[in-house]
Amino acid sequence: MDFLISDEQKQLQDLIHQFIQKDYPFDVREKLVKSEDGFSKDFWKTFSQFGLLAMPFSEEDGGYNGGPVDVMIILEAFGTGLIVEPYIPNIVLSGNLVSKLGTKEQKDSILPNLLDGDMQLAFAFSEPQSRFDLNDVTTSAEEDGDGFKLNGFKSVVMNGPAADKLIISARTSGSQLDKNGISLFIVDRDTKGVSLRDYSNIDGSKASELTLENVVLTKEALLGDLGKAFSTIEEVVNLATLAISAEAIGIMQKMNELTLEYTKTREQFGQALSQFQALQHRMVDTFMVHEQTKSLLLMAAAKMNDKSDDAVKSISALKYQVGNAAKLIGEEAIQLHGGMGVTEEMSIGHYFKRLTTIRTIFGNADYHLKKYSSL
Amino acid sequence: MDFLISDEQKQLQDLIHQFIQKDYPFDVREKLVKSEDGFSKDFWKTFSQFGLLAMPFSEEDGGYNGGPVDVMIILEAFGTGLIVEPYIPNIVLSGNLVSKLGTKEQKDSILPNLLDGDMQLAFAFSEPQSRFDLNDVTTSAEEDGDGFKLNGFKSVVMNGPAADKLIISARTSGSQLDKNGISLFIVDRDTKGVSLRDYSNIDGSKASELTLENVVLTKEALLGDLGKAFSTIEEVVNLATLAISAEAIGIMQKMNELTLEYTKTREQFGQALSQFQALQHRMVDTFMVHEQTKSLLLMAAAKMNDKSDDAVKSISALKYQVGNAAKLIGEEAIQLHGGMGVTEEMSIGHYFKRLTTIRTIFGNADYHLKKYSSL
Amino acid sequence: MNLSFSEEDLKFQSEVRSFIKENYPSEIKEKMDNGTPVSKEDIVTWQKILSKKGWFAINWPEEHGGSGWSVTQKFIFQNELAEANTPNIVPFGVSMCAPVIYTFGTEEQKERFLPDIRDNNVWWCQGYSEPGSGSDLASLKTKAEKKGDKYIVNGTKTWTTMAQHADWIFCLVRTDSSGIKQQGISFLLIDMKTPGVEVKPIITIDGSHEVNMVYLDNVEVPAENLIGEEGAGWSIAKFLLAHERTGIGGIPHLKREIRRLRQISEELPLNEGFLKDDQLFMDKLNKVEIDLLSAEFTELRTLASISAGGHPGPESSILKIGGTDLQQSLSDLYVEALGYYAHPFMSEEDLKSNEKRIGPDFAANVMPHYLNYRKVSIYGGSNEVQRNVIAKAVLGL
Amino acid sequence: MNLSFSEEDLKFQSEVRSFIKENYPSEIKEKMDNGTPVSKEDIVTWQKILSKKGWFAINWPEEHGGSGWSVTQKFIFQNELAEANTPNIVPFGVSMCAPVIYTFGTEEQKERFLPDIRDNNVWWCQGYSEPGSGSDLASLKTKAEKKGDKYIVNGTKTWTTMAQHADWIFCLVRTDSSGIKQQGISFLLIDMKTPGVEVKPIITIDGSHEVNMVYLDNVEVPAENLIGEEGAGWSIAKFLLAHERTGIGGIPHLKREIRRLRQISEELPLNEGFLKDDQLFMDKLNKVEIDLLSAEFTELRTLASISAGGHPGPESSILKIGGTDLQQSLSDLYVEALGYYAHPFMSEEDLKSNEKRIGPDFAANVMPHYLNYRKVSIYGGSNEVQRNVIAKAVLGL
């Protein structure tokens, strides 16, 4: 057993931290969030040059064979800088689906562009009633001549506004909750019958609602085997859950640091806030909770790396704990910042907002507690 | 709306507080707990003279027509002195059952003795698998000639060791969880086939396990209508739940006071413990929790008094909160007492033990949360 | 002890209920029910309706237009207002400034200011906090120098709620810096139209403009606008904070909100059923409901004891902590109820427009509400300061 | 990063498992499994079995008989011991006194004391706390006056665990009162048979006799029993507390206990089914299990970093808080699992007798365990003091 990351991984981590320090200060991030795109296509290219976009893909797909630990390292570092560029929707979810299930033609038309940072993807897997259940799919894909006809509604399509292509889960057989009968389709955003309603999220990210009305697709649009997509969807969402947990843990670390710093300088009743024992003990608690949650992150990443039997269960343990830790650390950080914590002006509130949405994304604490219990 | 108790109720409260101060200091209580009986029959007579034993009964039963608020006042005061005399098993449970369901003969043979303090009763309603569900009864009573034959096993018969007579719930029809088909029987402790295994509890109270082997009873042993006892059992247990909650709240108040006092005198690092802000804030929290739980106590007592529609729901809200508050206040009091809190020598640990058993008695927090949700 | 309503109480309840039903303007109700932000005009309109009926300044002494109601009647009234989802009463004039004026002001001041507050002709805001003094209120630095019959005021106030709408501001100012910090503070009323008063918005993390910086640059204030003696400001502030905290918990509103959430749980689709099938969620909802009962009856006990001759003291700190904890818990439960649909962000303008919202209609306010409600454990004396108050005043530490 | 066991690790694991299987005396195992208190003799017997195999003083330097094992091997070993439900190793000699001796002692002291500890010939206890000094250890008052080649020791030690079994006690004593309280403390070894040493039981709320008062009345101690310099006691104490805390969490034992509770939930009747049908209970069990995973991997990370050259420092405070929280939560869950059957009280004598117990066999220990475990957040430096340590050493406050 060892918990050390490799020298290459350390370099990767340093690279991102340097990028944040030099090129991604809070005011730059704020401008990006308020821009039309909501993120920087230039930085996205930079990430491609850093090798981040190619990281999790196999060498034959043009990647670096990175594993869950590498994804964890990237996202944890991203978290500390509150990076808004859509790595998870593009790379961890969509790119991975194409890499795992795509035909040679599908891969060739997508992966090189994705890895070069020239193409944006989004994965539409959620519906209003499905909440966090990936098997709850009512959007239908009927076989139609040589191809398919899609009808339905997808909610919360992360990175939908920027996406050139969408990967959509739809039911080709079975009833609403069946794990069998779910298929994936790759659809250009300007296909007839596809309409996207784009919107901004409270955390600075962007998403879309997707309506599908008699969308006619050729059979080449099918990604993977007909009706057999569920296990791969689950697999990439598990990796994305690890990734977003790592991001959360980067955020928590940063929020704890910012809070500690703030309480050391802010005076009340003639002394720094950090000198009040009641506040000290609370900061010790948030420090400990971050450490303990990070331990679960390392555990889950290692178990995914090893393809261990209990890897999926570990992911649920992790996301459950991330949900709780995010609430505690986020709320305490704001409280200890006092009034300043609730202003748009300081970065702490923006970390808080992202941390708060992560509590929900890919399943909240309750959901993962139930999943953990059932495994 | 008013929260004031009457002058008579205030006098009752003062009477008990004076008794505790004068006659029931901690060392006296400790001797009683270690005695053969486990409580004082003399004090029990004193309580009779005070009118406490007659309080909840109607005037025609020889009582004072006291309501839930009076029971609450008595038990809350008892809690502050950690009084171990078996008021709830005798008066609130058994006496009330006889008063509500008994024939004239049954009442005449029991109530005067009970109210004079000359007879001890116990109510056997629990079985190992029933946990807190009063309708879960497997002990059977078959009709047998002109009378009944009882077989089965009852656990946790509070005050069993002292009881002259037992009131036993048994199934005369229906299946294990049916609310219909439960009957009550009054049984002398020396009846053939009745065997009691007496034991002491961690909180200083005493109880028994009761085995019934072909216990033959005449039809006069039946208390109330055949198979119709459930609603009355539930009614008296609800009152007992209010009573024991009141006791808990008396204990919590006392534990908070003892802790505050202790931290004011105990010095560490050159100052009284009470001067450490982190501890101050925790004592504020335990103070507030006691106040808030007491508010629910008053609410539930008033609603029971008014026979309000949501009285039963209020009892569950109360006992749920008592369960939580007891854990918080009990554990914090011990922690703030440090090592001294875990010695037999100081009273605080004995308050803690009683408060801890009350968390369970008549249903723990989880049980009452579920019951609250279902009502 | 008796917690049921009397016959008269029930009659009063139905009178209040009918009055609201008949007089609550439907266009305001619609906005409130849809989560569309209400305007200043909406608020004033509704408050004037109450004023006209004599049901606005209910807690005031009767001589100045108070209601003379019992604790029970006030409880019923507040519950009915909340139940009907009327806009919250803006407290700065009626519940904060006015009690100071009728308690500490001269007859002239009472005549000059109270009627306009009671009749909703003047909008007040509160100038307490400063950039360097948050919970440590007494460390405030805004200076008022007496020059002839005027004070010249210089300083900066912050977190001033709805200052953008206000006609007047009541301020704590420093008239003397020589003693300990609690001394030398005075209570001064300032007309916002006076030259040198400038209001600058603070945008909060929910994206709303509710609070402001108020800059005071050589503002000339007539000496007659001083309430109480020079240097009496700290006692007045303490008096007022206790008043503020008593009402801060917002229990009646929370009761309505929790019922609404229960309703939502029966309507929000989840898989083949509804949110109510999620037992873990419902457990939390039930827990909050029980906590709310505790808080409600604690408030009632306190109000009863105040009406029996007490004065709001440290008890109000207990109510403040309890109430704000609940506000925060419940706002978080709404976020959980919505799942992903708590994330889309709509600006105030978006909300006022007719554009269809993302997700269920009630969703748009949920996350902003959660974020905004972080403030409730910070303002009005942070909950940490309240704990210090209780430790000192109640536990004797 | 790699958290799987290597081939050699797995081989080691099966070696440990077989050894325990073959050598763990069945009469001790039976007591442990039934919750019958084990005797001093039982503990010594088992520890000697480990000593003989060279598996007792595993953390010591190899020159003194340590194992030289990797962090992973130690982890495996501790897990296997816990899994087999062997008696806990009594730490006072092997894990507390010995590290002080081999770190700070002279060669003579090492030769004189270490072999008897390693071979379980001598039982040690710890003389730290005093009636007036709990978490504020440095305020201790027990006085050791140098007279010729002896110290004359006077004072009272308290909370001395298992002093009734002990041959020797290691004490913090005050050899100088002139400086600040951390100065002038020395570390002294005292033979319990010396005249003037008297042990008096303290009965704890679980009814057990585990801790004691130790009275020291003009006890003559040879000066050669001093470890380190006079006045070095405080540095030694800090060194030792860090050592103590690292192991205090008892994670391997907790893992076994939680699995056992899951087993119990499948066997304990509840209505027509079993306790496992109580979802609220199972939720809590699962939450504790996840917390335990967090604690376990936090401990592993810490041990890994220590073995990479670190020294147990403030991290051990984190482990202590995390581990003791879990011990308490889990002991409370056992109480909840049992319902009413947690209440009957059996004395140690009752438990040793053959009398049938009230309720399920495992029930008798459950409440005593909960009550006894209140101590774990108090001893070894209370969790409040640990938070102060972390605040200072880690957060720089």
Side-chain angles (χ1 to χ4, degrees), chain B residues 41 55 71 83 159 162 174 205-206 241 263 278 282 291-293 307 310 325 341 350 352-353 355:
Chain B
K41 294 202 164 153
M55 185 55 72
V71 171
I83 284 181
N159 200 39
S205 68
K206 286 183 181 274
T241 308
T263 60
R282 284 160 62 178
E291 284 295 319
Q292 285 158 346
T293 312
K307 301 196 178 8
D310 54 354
H350 299 264
F352 177 54
K353 288 195 271 191
L355 192 57

Side-chain angles (χ1 to χ4, degrees), chain A residues 53 57 90-91 95 110-119 121:
Chain A
L53 307 190
F57 300 102
N90 269 309
I91 308 301
I110 292 177
L111 292 181
N113 293 319
L114 179 71
L115 273 56
D116 284 349
D118 294 330
M119 182 186 277
L121 299 179

Side-chain angles (χ1 to χ4, degrees), chain B residues 7-25:
Chain B
D7 288 346
E8 290 79 14
Q9 290 169 330
K10 184 84 185 72
Q11 281 161 17
L12 179 70
Q13 200 174 46
D14 291 344
L15 186 68
I16 302 171
H17 284 304
Q18 281 156 18
F19 165 78
I20 292 167
Q21 199 166 14
K22 209 167 122 282
D23 298 318
Y24 213 89

Side-chain angles (χ1 to χ4, degrees), chain B residues 1-4 264 274 277 281 284-285 287-288 291 295-296 298-299 302 306 320-321 369 372-373, chain C residues 1-4 72 286-287 289-291 294 297-298 300-301 318 321 384 387-388 391 394-395 397:
Chain B
M1 286 196 304
D2 88 82
F3 287 89
L4 295 179
K264 281 180 180 171
S274 64
Q277 193 195 28
H281 282 201
V284 167
D285 287 341
F287 172 81
M288 290 192 347
E291 284 295 319
S295 299
L296 282 186
L298 296 173
M299 175 194 78
D306 299 350
Y320 161 78
Q321 207 72 306
L369 179 63
Y372 178 89
S373 311
Chain C
M1 221 176 74
N2 173 15
L3 303 185
S4 349
T72 310
N286 286 313
K287 286 177 184 182
E289 191 173 84
I290 295 173
D291 285 340
S294 308
F297 279 81
T298 305
L300 285 171
R301 281 169 68 203
I318 298 173
I321 296 172
E384 289 78 16
R387 285 190 167 80
N388 291 342
V394 185
L395 304 185
L397 298 175

Side-chain angles (χ1 to χ4, degrees), chain C residues 89-204:
Chain C
I89 302 297
V90 177
F92 305 106
V94 65
S95 305
M96 298 172 74
C97 191
V100 169
I101 294 172
Y102 63 66
T103 308
F104 301 97
T106 62
E107 285 311 312
E108 290 71 27
Q109 289 170 331
K110 292 179 197 174
E111 274 169 43
R112 182 173 164 208
F113 293 109
L114 292 179
D116 278 342
I117 296 177
R118 189 189 58 222
D119 300 339
N120 278 288
N121 297 327
V122 167
W123 188 296
W124 285 82
C125 66
Q126 180 193 34
Y128 269 35
S129 291
E130 298 184 5
S133 78
S135 287
D136 181 9
L137 189 55
S139 68
L140 62 90
K141 292 194 169 58
T142 293
K143 218 161 142 184
E145 279 176 291
K146 187 87 174 268
K147 287 225 173 138
D149 59 353
K150 286 183 176 143
Y151 288 100
I152 313 298
V153 183
N154 279 289
T156 307
K157 293 291 176 182
T158 189
W159 313 126
T160 311
T161 305
M162 303 206 218
Q164 72 268 39
H165 301 322
D167 304 302
W168 280 76
I169 182 168
F170 57 93
C171 283
L172 291 179
V173 295
R174 186 162 296 287
T175 43
D176 182 358
S177 310
S178 60
I180 60 164
K181 64 184 178 181
Q182 285 80 2
Q183 292 172 349
I185 295 174
S186 300
F187 194 95
L188 199 60
L189 312 182
I190 304 177
D191 186 333
M192 297 286 281
K193 289 183 297 292
T194 322
V197 178
E198 194 196 347
V199 176
K200 215 184 109 187
I202 297 173
I203 305 301
T204 45

Side-chain angles (χ1 to χ4, degrees), chain A residues 134-319:
Chain A
L134 303 168
N135 54 309
D136 184 345
V137 176
T138 64
T139 294
S140 69
E142 290 169 70
E143 297 198 42
D144 178 53
D146 206 22
F148 298 92
K149 192 162 70 182
L150 268 61
N151 277 288
F153 183 79
K154 291 288 181 181
S155 54
V156 214
V157 184
M158 293 181 248
N159 199 38
D164 302 301
K165 288 174 188 291
L166 305 159
I167 301 175
I168 300 169
S169 68
R171 186 161 291 288
T172 44
S173 67
S175 63
Q176 184 176 334
L177 302 179
D178 279 355
K179 290 181 179 176
N180 278 315
I182 300 169
S183 305
L184 294 172
F185 298 90
I186 306 177
V187 182
D188 284 341
R189 84 175 284 133
D190 52 7
T191 308
K192 183 156 179 288
V194 168
S195 50
L196 286 153
R197 177 161 177 213
D198 299 341
Y199 61 88
S200 298
N201 282 317
I202 192 82
D203 59 10
S205 69
K206 285 181 180 275
S208 309
E209 297 207 298
L210 169 62
T211 307
L212 300 160
E213 273 185 300
N214 294 317
V215 178
V216 176
L217 301 175
T218 65
K219 67 176 195 292
E220 284 72 28
L222 180 69
L223 178 64
D225 293 341
L226 188 72
K228 303 281 180 221
F230 178 73
S231 66
T232 312
I233 294 175
E234 202 175 35
E235 203 181 321
V236 301
V237 171
N238 280 336
L239 184 64
T241 308
L242 178 78
I244 210 160
S245 296
E247 183 184 345
I249 285 160
I251 293 173
M252 291 178 205
Q253 180 195 325
K254 185 72 180 186
M255 289 185 84
N256 278 344
E257 286 167 8
L258 289 170
T259 303
L260 184 60
E261 214 170 280
Y262 182 80
T263 59
K264 282 179 180 170
T265 52
R266 171 77 174 173
E267 292 204 358
Q268 294 277 277
F269 304 102
Q271 58 180 342
L273 285 182
S274 64
Q275 292 311 302
F276 290 93
Q277 194 196 27
L279 305 189
Q280 288 185 351
H281 282 200
R282 285 160 60 179
M283 287 193 281
V284 167
D285 287 341
T286 55
F287 172 81
M288 290 193 350
V289 165
H290 166 260
E291 284 295 319
Q292 285 158 347
T293 313
K294 178 156 178 166
S295 298
L296 281 186
L297 174 68
L298 296 172
M299 176 194 79
K303 284 186 190 280
M304 279 196 104
N305 232 19
D306 300 350
K307 301 195 178 8
S308 161
D309 287 345
D310 53 354
V312 176
K313 193 164 183 172
S314 303
I315 292 288
S316 278
L318 169 62
K319 188 63 177 24

